[in-house]
Amino acid sequence: MRPILLQGHERSLTQIKFNREGDLLFSCSKDHVINVWFSHNGERLGTYNGHNGTVWTIDVDSQSRYLVSGSADNTLKLWEVSTGKCLFTWEFPTAVKRVSFSDDDEQVVCITEQRMGYQGAIRVFRLNFDGDGKDQDPEPERFFNPIGSKATVCAFTFMKNLIVTGHESGKVALIDVATGDEIQTNERAHMDIITDLQMGPDGTYFITSSKDKVARIHDTKTLRVLKTFSTETPLNSAAIAPNRPYVLLGGGQEAMQVTTTSLRQGKFETRFWHKVFEEEVGRVKGHFGPINTIAAHPAGTGYASGGEDGFVRMHHYDDSYFKSKPYGDLEIDE
């Protein structure tokens, strides 16, 4: 499984994201740039220039028409995917750390940082795509400050007007966007800051990764922990493989502590765990530093990882991956 090395960033990666079909891969980094690539051959299709700070987060709508990005320059930008034009910019008092489209593409949720006397906030914008998409409301449809610990990650759920958030204290919460109230919480979901949250293929469950060296699968409605994957390294990202019972975990020791250890001890591998049996089934090496972000191909044919080393590695699975029997001799009807 030789990876395709995507070299388009000068600094460490912050997030990568496939579009719904999986033919495009979007990547953002601390070098202020967003790139889009063809996933099958790693060719760079284009660049989105306009941010003046680290781009922390990106998301693309289900039609691959629009892209949203959040940055340390305190802005949220809406882009046209096909032309690379910036259609609209929302400005905030602090950095935008996470963005996510709703399932119907009509809303965007964003988390802003707690800094300089400002509380961390969650804002939901209703997008207007009449005309050329440049006529957006600068004011959010909903605005609220999460209770207690600041939110670090979020996503829309399959339930109307509900978002799920992960927090610095390790808690996960289900929040009603209309009122800003927490409907469900799990205070002890993790023991440390939650670094990533990705929804499962059907949205009924989601996976979180944390600096407490554990990744967990949760039920979306009840926030009950369904599965736990314990490693010996801080985790930065976790993804769920579609069509196969695997989860992919990535992380590694912080860059400043790595100089004293070898690559092997730094644990810079993508780790595959069996989703049902909670056992590690394989590792893929490659990055020269912690893995910051992982995305699974929506068709289940591969995955991509972005690292502290500034590289995105696009992997297409070999035949052996599809021929393996993850449940032993038991045949599971799809």
Side-chain angles (χ1 to χ4, degrees):
M1 191 169 72
R2 274 194 71 152
I4 303 169
L5 214 58
L6 312 185
Q7 298 173 303
H9 291 287
E10 294 170 4
R11 294 188 60 197
S12 52
L13 272 292
T14 49
Q15 197 177 11
I16 54 177
K17 202 93 186 205
F18 283 101
N19 65 343
R20 182 171 284 185
E21 289 73 36
D23 58 335
L24 299 177
L25 177 68
F26 296 85
S27 63
C28 62
S29 137
K30 292 184 178 176
D31 63 5
H32 311 180
V33 170
I34 304 164
N35 285 324
V36 56
W37 318 77
F38 285 119
S39 63
H40 67 284
N41 62 2
E43 185 183 329
R44 182 156 57 169
L45 179 59
T47 301
Y48 301 87
N49 287 312
H51 279 297
N52 297 318
T54 295
V55 185
W56 286 117
T57 174
I58 45 174
D59 199 14
V60 59
D61 74 351
S62 61
Q63 307 286 316
S64 305
R65 286 183 307 175
Y66 300 103
L67 177 78
V68 285
S69 60
S71 166
D73 63 8
N74 303 354
T75 62
L76 169 73
K77 286 183 185 287
L78 176 71
W79 310 82
E80 192 171 30
V81 168
S82 56
T83 62
K85 280 196 191 116
C86 179
L87 300 177
F88 198 81
T89 300
W90 291 270
E91 297 193 3
F92 309 114
T94 57
V96 181
K97 294 304 288 259
R98 193 73 168 202
V99 294
S100 177
F101 269 106
S102 59
D103 283 348
D104 59 7
D105 300 335
E106 290 182 3
Q107 291 172 293
V108 166
V109 59
C110 77
I111 290 178
T112 52
E113 182 75 292
Q114 183 175 327
R115 278 270 156 83
M116 301 176 298
Y118 291 99
Q119 273 184 289
I122 295 176
R123 293 174 175 84
V124 177
F125 293 92
R126 179 153 308 267
L127 299 178
N128 167 28
F129 293 128
D130 296 339
D132 57 5
K134 291 184 177 177
D135 183 23
Q136 301 294 339
D137 187 349
E139 293 303 314
E141 186 178 55
R142 303 275 181 238
F143 170 89
F144 48 89
N145 302 101
I147 306 154
S149 157
K150 76 174 184 188
T152 53
V153 287
C154 63
F156 276 97
T157 64
F158 67 95
M159 298 169 283
K160 192 165 175 57
N161 279 343
L162 291 185
I163 59 168
V164 62
T165 56
H167 295 252
E168 204 172 48
S169 64
K171 126 176 140 173
V172 291
L174 208 55
I175 296 179
D176 185 333
V177 172
T179 62
D181 295 336
E182 291 185 355
I183 294 174
Q184 291 273 7
T185 62
N186 181 351
E187 296 284 348
R188 312 301 288 162
H190 285 282
M191 297 299 158
D192 204 344
I193 181 169
I194 294 178
T195 50
D196 196 10
L197 184 156
Q198 296 193 23
M199 301 304 288
D202 60 358
T204 56
Y205 61 97
F206 62 92
I207 191 166
T208 54
S209 64
S210 168
K211 292 286 185 197
D212 66 3
K213 309 182 179 179
V214 172
R216 289 199 163 101
I217 289 179
H218 312 258
D219 181 275
T220 306
K221 271 188 176 169
T222 64
L223 301 186
R224 200 163 56 88
V225 174
L226 303 176
K227 296 289 175 187
T228 299
F229 313 98
S230 297
T231 69
E232 65 288 340
T233 179
L235 295 175
N236 295 329
S237 192
I240 297 169
N243 311 334
R244 307 294 275 179
Y246 301 125
V247 296
L248 289 70
L249 312 181
Q253 238 118 19
E254 290 300 325
M256 54 192 180
Q257 298 164 359
V258 169
T259 47
T260 56
T261 59
S262 71
L263 277 181
R264 182 76 193 158
Q265 283 166 309
K267 305 280 188 303
F268 310 136
E269 297 136 327
T270 302
R271 310 168 72 139
F272 285 73
W273 286 67
H274 199 292
K275 185 164 74 179
V276 180
F277 301 143
E278 302 179 350
E279 291 173 355
E280 190 171 358
V281 294
R283 295 186 186 188
V284 178
K285 289 204 283 283
H287 283 286
F288 294 99
I291 293 171
N292 292 339
T293 173
I294 288 180
H297 194 288
T301 56
Y303 79 94
S305 57
E308 192 73 27
D309 54 9
F311 293 120
V312 179
R313 298 174 78 87
M314 178 69 224
H315 295 262
H316 294 285
Y317 297 133
D318 294 337
D319 283 346
S320 58
Y321 174 84
F322 302 103
K323 288 180 181 156
S324 69
K325 294 190 166 183
Y327 297 105
D329 289 334
L330 193 66
E331 289 295 330
I332 303 287
D333 292 332
E334 290 295 333

